Amino acid sequence: MKFSEQWLREWVNPALSTEALGHQITMAGLEVDAIEPVAGAFTGVIVAEITEAVQHPDADKLRVCTVDAGNGSPLQIVCGAPNARQGLKTPLAVVGAMLPGDFAIKAAKLRGVESQGMLCAASELGLSDEKDGILELPGDAPVGTDLREYLKLDDVSIEIGLTPNRSDCLGMAGIAREVGLLNDLAVCTPPENVQTVATDEAVTVDLRAKERCPRYLCRVIDGVDLSRPSPLWMQEKLRRCGVRSIDAAVDITNYLLLEFGQPMHAFDLDKINGGIVVREATPGESLELLNDQKITLGSDNLVIADHERPLAFAGIMGGADSAVGEGTTRLLLESAFFAPVPLSGQARAFGLHTDSSHRFERGVDFELQRRALERATELLLEIVGGAAGPITEAVSEADLPAPAPIYLRAARIERLLGVTIEPEAVERILRGVGLDVTAVEGGWECAVPSWRFDLRIEADLLEELARVYGYNNLPVTRIRADVVLPAIPEEKLRLQQLRRTLVARDYFEAICYSFVDAGIQKQLDPAIEPVELNNPISPEHAVMRSSLLAGLLRTAQHNVKRQQPRVRLFETGLRFVPGADGLSQRPGLAMLVCGSLAAEGWADPGRNADFYDLKGDVEALLELTGDTASFRFEAGERSGMHPGQTAWLKRGDETVGFVGVLHPTLQKEMDFDLPVVVAELDLEMLRAATIPAFTPVSRYPALRRDIAVIVDKTVKAGELLANVRATAGAYLQDLTLFDVYEGKGIDPARKSVALGLTFQDHSRTLDDNEVNTCIQQVVDSLKENYQAELRG
């Protein structure tokens, strides 16, 4: 919102400088973005009148003008402006004047003809960027008067950046109300003059979309003369608010937009067939707007129409077919209230953003329409003449906003603001905001005014008290709290330990959105119906994730498409899993590898990472628990994973997570050229660790025995290891699987598994017979349970 300081001071005039005024309204929540002068810095420019204009003898594009400067001595000025003519009043920079940019005016000769000054265009004075000739002043402008004084150019334009909740300040009335409240001054509002009805002509209004347009008013104004320009004072106020003057009808509606914040529109009555119909558009219906854009409307769009066709895109922009033009003599002036929520996004859907849509989307005073219509009528009759007809109003009271009263508790003021405000001051502030305040036991009951759409709960009133009372006046209280160092249980791994381990193993931590692509989510967890977002930011972020892999795969895809040959990522976060007891939020850890196992180098063969590489990284995390023996991997299947390359990780009877290779179908769908290996683990179960206990180092030597047994290919290595641990005896300290062989010399249906067994005792040195007995127990058990043969 941009406004003129002089215009504001016509409403309310606090004893503050411009800078102090800007600071005051900024601290009240109306942040000032810019304060700029309304004209360039110039001196020595006066109002003058051209009494004679003749062709320059030696230049086709120059005129020699005789100018009355008001001092009784006519001046000769050579001017190249096409609109320089006899009888025109215009700015004159006399010899010695200084124009913007430190441009000094001197007497000169142009093509041999003496010129005693310069007739000025608006752009040369810093008033606008228009360069279509010298500035034309009204015929009653007093000759010889200083131009800065005549146009009151010692003024500034103040631009404030309003938050969406403060739509009440999108007009001078709202800003003046704020300044008056902050300075405890009365506000001088324009008088509410009801205009005399001079003609019976009226237009019927059919309100078919009452929920979206609960109130619509219009009136006929006959016999207008739009050849009359808007008065200079109105043009200047519009210019200083950043609005270009067009014609009287448009200028007046724009003026009301800036004065009260009420968007209005004027139709050419002769271009309307029948009455006005406020309705939803028919799908496929087209409308050419005032900006020459032709749009195709849908059933969710609201239009102002006659009995044959749409006339305007309701609340956004008028149509070209019913626009006011030079030949217009009869106007239909409208003033309406449109519900903010249904109108939101309508303009943006067609690439539009207008002053009207900006206000209606945020909320316009729903009691303002009649007053604005009377005020616009008054200005039209005064400027372009004509006769006003009766006001036609269609209203659905049931669909108008009905804000509920708000109860403010006195005790809450000191508790939340930290300051005691006297009851009289509280009532003064709240009444200044516009609330109808009634004192009740323990506080106040406040009726919300029609222009404050943002006041709904008690906290809103506390915010009003704080900003008007002054944020700087609120006491500064230091927060005091007992600093208690939290206990760090040893039986639970810290998340930082897991992260550091993965980073040390060359992983990068990713932080993905909690909402993911519904298609990928469905392939990973088809049995889970994820929580859908009501208003997703994009189709790729439509549901809440039940698996961390959905976001991690998208991140990997993004990197691979940008020629990253080696991707190693992990993420920790919450998974959102619906269940019978509602939505549960489960912490998880996901890992992903794709591409080269190691960075490119001369000593590395350049092998791609596979299932066992990621499994080894998971085992490194399990080592941190100090209880690796309680974990085991079991072959299994999972949606989205390769059926032959997936394993579940279990701890006792509970499933901790899984490791697997992405299913080829999903891999192809996501454009991965290489296999993608992933893991997802339950973070809480993974973090459960054992408390370290001291074990003395044995002083006696260890004995190692290696055996190789031939078993069926279907026998799982994990089962063999478990069997060996159960039968090797108490002296077994370490068990390692160091080789698996299939090929020449081995039955094609069988495989050779080589195991290393290390035996040691803490009290004595074991002899060979004791170790041999243990080995024989192992071999016998393997033969009995797995038909194993000892390989020679």
Side-chain angles (χ1 to χ4, degrees), residues 474-505:
L474 298 179
V476 177
T477 305
R478 298 185 184 277
I479 298 176
R480 298 189 61 184
D482 294 330
V483 179
V484 179
L485 295 177
I488 302 176
E490 291 186 81
E491 67 271 11
K492 190 170 186 179
L493 290 174
R494 286 181 293 167
L495 187 58
Q496 189 177 27
Q497 291 177 267
L498 299 174
R499 286 172 170 162
R500 284 178 175 175
T501 300
L502 289 173
V503 170
R505 299 183 75 85

Side-chain angles (χ1 to χ4, degrees), residues 16-228:
L16 297 173
S17 66
T18 301
E19 292 72 19
L21 177 63
H23 177 73
Q24 184 185 64
I25 61 179
T26 293
M27 294 306 295
L30 311 180
E31 184 178 1
V32 173
D33 290 338
I35 299 177
E36 298 175 342
V38 300
F42 62 83
T43 59
V45 181
I46 61 174
V47 177
E49 181 178 3
I50 301 175
T51 58
E52 184 180 9
V54 298
Q55 187 67 42
H56 190 290
D58 296 323
D60 294 338
K61 295 185 178 180
L62 297 179
R63 289 173 176 265
V64 180
C65 301
T66 303
V67 176
D68 178 9
N71 56 7
S73 299
L75 300 176
Q76 180 174 279
I77 308 292
V78 178
C79 178
N83 62 331
R85 62 187 184 274
Q86 183 179 353
L88 176 65
K89 289 188 177 179
T90 188
L92 166 65
V94 299
V95 174
M98 188 68 70
L99 298 186
D102 295 332
F103 180 68
I105 302 298
K106 303 176 182 178
K109 284 188 177 182
L110 298 178
R111 291 292 190 93
V113 177
E114 185 177 356
S115 181
Q116 299 170 305
M118 185 178 81
L119 301 179
C120 302
S123 59
E124 294 166 331
L125 300 175
L127 298 177
S128 73
D129 296 329
E130 296 181 4
K131 300 180 180 180
D132 55 353
I134 56 177
L135 179 62
E136 299 189 13
L137 298 175
D140 59 356
V143 174
T145 303
D146 184 275
L147 186 70
R148 295 195 74 90
E149 180 183 341
Y150 173 64
L151 292 180
K152 299 179 180 179
L153 295 179
D154 294 325
D155 186 16
V156 294
S157 288
I158 301 176
E159 185 171 2
I160 56 177
L162 291 174
T163 49
N165 64 310
R166 292 310 305 272
S167 60
D168 59 300
C169 290
L170 286 169
M172 287 300 306
I175 298 171
R177 186 165 47 237
E178 287 289 308
V179 175
L181 171 61
L182 296 173
N183 295 279
D184 199 15
L185 295 173
V187 177
C188 301
T189 58
E192 298 184 36
N193 296 326
V194 177
Q195 301 304 301
T196 303
V197 175
T199 175
D200 294 334
E201 187 172 7
V203 171
T204 60
V205 176
D206 183 3
L207 205 59
R208 296 182 186 174
K210 297 177 181 179
E211 300 85 359
R212 302 181 66 174
C213 178
R215 173 171 280 144
Y216 187 93
L217 293 83
C218 65
R219 93 181 318 163
V220 173
I221 302 180
D222 193 12
V224 299
D225 181 6
L226 295 185
S227 64
R228 301 182 193 176

